[in-house]
Amino acid sequence: MNFDYDIAVIGGGPGGYVAAIRAAQLGAKVALIEKDQLGGTCLNRGCIPTKALLAAAGKLNAIKEAKSFGIEVGEARPDLAKMIKRKNDIVRRLKNGVGYVVQKNGITIYAKQAAFVDEHTLDLEGEQISSAKFIIATGSSPRSLFLGDDGGRLINSDQLLDWQEIPSRLAIIGGGVIGVEFAQIFHSLGSQVTIIEIEEQILPGIDWEVTAKLGQILKKRGIKLLTGSRITEIEGKDHAALLEVDLPDGSADTFEAELVLCATGRKPYFDGLNLDVSGVAYNPAGIPVDKNLLTNQPHIAAIGDVTGGIQLAHFASAQGLAAAEFLMGSQVTGNLTVIPSCIYGDPEVATVGLSQEQVEAAGIAWAKAVFPMQACGKAMAMSETDGFCKLIFDPADHTILGAYILAPHATDLIAEIALAMVNDLKLENIGKTIHPHPTISETLMEAAHLAEGRPIHIV
């Protein structure tokens, strides 16, 4: 049977457009269907916009702290509207770049909603195309809450990214990655921030030593953390919202916030795809896939957030490469088992591999080495000594099981550990590698030395 395309990719986010480019590189005739904007959530409403605002908040904090470095400056005042404009300019330039490279790879772009007509045909708002194979990469959307008449004060992260005024009081429902990053942004801009998290710690699933230390740092700066707490009602007022919260001791708290951010996570998005006629199995948790990222239909793959798995842009991109290579009959070149995760702010958090809780639960023999930033010369010079580098390893053969870094530039440093784990390197390989001085990267080497029982700058 003749088809219009070899591969049709539905969704132009960091998984979809990468998959489309790789398939085209391997000789496929490719269609990329994106009903909204190329780059998806990450580029337009997630990773890049939040990092642009975090960078602005970081500059503001640096000015406020300049006196401690011996620099006298005047009062610094944030202009959120200008920050939003800068953020939008960055997004636009990157989005244009994505469009350029996609087109240069000979990929046909359809800016339309896709809906399956049958197992090999899509309807694109009245136009039909056929394809031998498909990759579904439609991503996720913010979860919503209904807790009463909030008077328009309850918003999601997409809306907050374009908010033009700094709220005097911001309540954040959810202490995960999204909640913690926005809390640091708006606290730096001058908002009184309260995080309400139902679990016993912020950043659920992250190593407890990291979350405990980060929680201390945030509280010291003035961010209020209500962990083990559940919000029960939001009532909109004239210029604020009244929140009722059940606390872990059984009591209740009531307080006002000018704005309430719902940061309770994201859910797989496949609205309008008409998956039933494609034969693809799915459920509210996502589209199940096998080790080759195939759905129950062998000619249809799914990648990224829509599968209900790990929601990280770089993981979606890696899956996109792998799915395109597998569908094209090429050797799959990537590794989908070692997945670094990053949380941005001050300090940054970066993780890879297993946590202390996970190795304990699995009954794996383990040990740890923790090197504090207080013993790092570069961190001291930067006045950023809160945090540590933690390596989790097999005490018998020094295999690296995981790493957790709470430090400046942690999100850059974690790649070294990921590289080591992918290539089956041991602690000794980290320890015997000369790391430049003075740098934060030295803490990885120092932690490896500590694990080997031969520490230099710590006793």
Side-chain angles (χ1 to χ4, degrees), residues 54-95:
L54 278 164
K59 296 292 186 185
L60 181 61
N61 289 336
I63 295 171
K64 292 177 180 178
E65 296 164 2
K67 189 173 183 178
S68 66
F69 286 81
I71 303 170
E72 296 292 337
V73 296
E75 180 184 1
R77 295 188 302 272
D79 186 329
L80 184 56
K82 289 183 178 178
M83 291 180 185
I84 297 296
K85 181 181 181 303
R86 175 181 176 271
K87 177 263 294 183
N88 291 340
D89 288 342
I90 293 169
V91 169
R92 184 178 62 255
R93 292 199 300 272
L94 288 171
K95 186 166 53 181

Side-chain angles (χ1 to χ4, degrees), residues 41-57 86-87 91 157-158 160-161 177-178 181-182 185-186 344-345:
T41 294
C42 176
L43 174 51
N44 294 285
R45 298 176 297 278
C47 319
I48 299 301
T50 53
K51 303 317 161 278
L53 293 181
L54 278 164
R86 175 181 176 271
K87 177 263 294 183
V91 169
S157 56
D158 292 355
L160 187 55
L161 280 170
V177 174
I178 297 172
E181 290 187 359
F182 273 112
I185 291 170
F186 280 90
Y344 298 82

Side-chain angles (χ1 to χ4, degrees), residues 13 21 30 67 82 88 91 142 159 166 180 210 271 280 286 318 321 364 401 408 433 447-448 451-452:
I21 291 173
V30 181
K67 189 173 183 178
K82 289 183 178 178
N88 291 340
V91 169
Q159 294 168 299
I166 301 170
V180 167
V210 171
D271 294 0
V280 170
L321 294 173
I364 299 172
L401 302 174
T433 300
E452 295 175 76

Side-chain angles (χ1 to χ4, degrees), residues 239-270:
H239 300 289
L242 184 67
L243 292 84
E244 293 186 6
V245 180
D246 286 343
L247 302 176
D249 63 2
S251 65
D253 188 16
T254 302
F255 64 95
E256 285 191 351
E258 182 181 337
L259 204 60
V260 184
L261 170 64
C262 179
T264 53
R266 301 179 66 85
K267 59 183 179 180
Y269 182 85
F270 35 71

